[in-house]
Amino acid sequence: MILKNTNIDISKIYDIVEKYKDLEGSLITILQETQSIYGYIPIDAIDYISEKTNIKPAKILGVATFYAQFRLNPVGKNIILLCQGTACHVNRSDKVYDAVCEELSIKDGETTEDGLFTLNNVACLGCCSLSPVMMINGETYGSLTKEKAVKIINEVKEGVRH
């Protein structure tokens, strides 16, 4: 995990931090609202939150890394959720994963350099009858093959699919 200064507009969270800074147990709320503004929790925001709440940056980072809901790096415009549940696994989701990784030059949890895609393996999307399955921006694509997955990704790139 690499965290770097982001030069974000920190003023966007002034009101949030002011509202909650003196409330015991409000760190998660502050982090949730910060993430809703930036799409992730920038290191600059952690530093600002620490300064205003007197919570050490290490503790804030510990909370942010403990809970899966928080992201410490920007995500792509298009979020790909690739199911790795039992039905998908049995139906060769590993081959779909390999094809997606090769096409986008990223791995699970990473974002493409152009910021278009973030890939996340998930335990289950609840679409077992469509396995293997992936979801892009809330749209479900099932009965995937390597070729079909790559075609869908390219259509999203070209704006044919959303």
Side-chain angles (χ1 to χ4, degrees):
M1 166 179 45
I2 298 172
L3 301 176
K4 42 190 153 174
N5 289 345
T6 52
N7 298 317
I8 56 158
D9 180 1
I10 204 73
S11 69
K12 291 180 177 182
I13 63 169
Y14 286 174
D15 291 342
I16 293 164
V17 176
E18 277 303 309
K19 180 177 179 180
Y20 295 107
K21 71 178 185 179
D22 297 321
L23 292 175
E24 183 82 22
S26 63
L27 180 58
I28 290 175
T29 302
I30 293 171
L31 293 175
Q32 288 170 327
E33 292 195 21
T34 298
Q35 182 167 283
S36 73
I37 289 171
Y38 300 112
Y40 69 110
I41 302 170
I43 192 69
D44 296 346
I46 291 173
D47 291 340
Y48 177 75
I49 293 164
S50 171
E51 177 185 315
K52 295 297 179 181
T53 62
N54 292 317
I55 300 171
K56 292 185 187 312
K59 181 172 182 172
I60 296 171
L61 194 56
V63 170
T65 56
F66 179 79
Y67 292 101
Q69 68 178 298
F70 296 122
R71 296 182 295 272
L72 297 173
N73 290 301
V75 292
K77 179 180 175 191
N78 302 287
I79 308 295
I80 301 171
L81 302 178
L82 187 55
C83 186
Q84 298 299 332
T86 303
C88 289
H89 176 75
V90 168
N91 286 304
R92 304 309 310 247
S93 62
D94 59 326
K95 297 295 182 193
V96 174
Y97 172 75
D98 291 343
V100 170
C101 289
E102 184 177 326
E103 179 65 23
L104 297 175
S105 300
I106 59 174
K107 294 183 173 143
D108 180 34
E110 296 180 344
T111 299
T112 57
E113 284 187 27
D114 60 9
L116 271 180
F117 293 93
T118 295
L119 174 62
N120 288 315
N121 282 333
V122 295
C124 186
L125 289 172
C127 304
C128 301
S129 64
L130 300 175
S131 67
V133 65
M134 73 178 169
M135 190 177 281
I136 302 177
N137 302 331
E139 185 76 27
T140 303
Y141 302 96
S143 304
L144 295 174
T145 61
K146 297 184 308 186
E147 297 77 17
K148 186 175 177 183
V150 168
K151 181 178 185 230
I152 291 165
I153 287 168
N154 285 320
E155 288 173 351
V156 171
K157 276 185 197 174
E158 295 163 7
V160 176
R161 293 185 189 251
H162 302 271

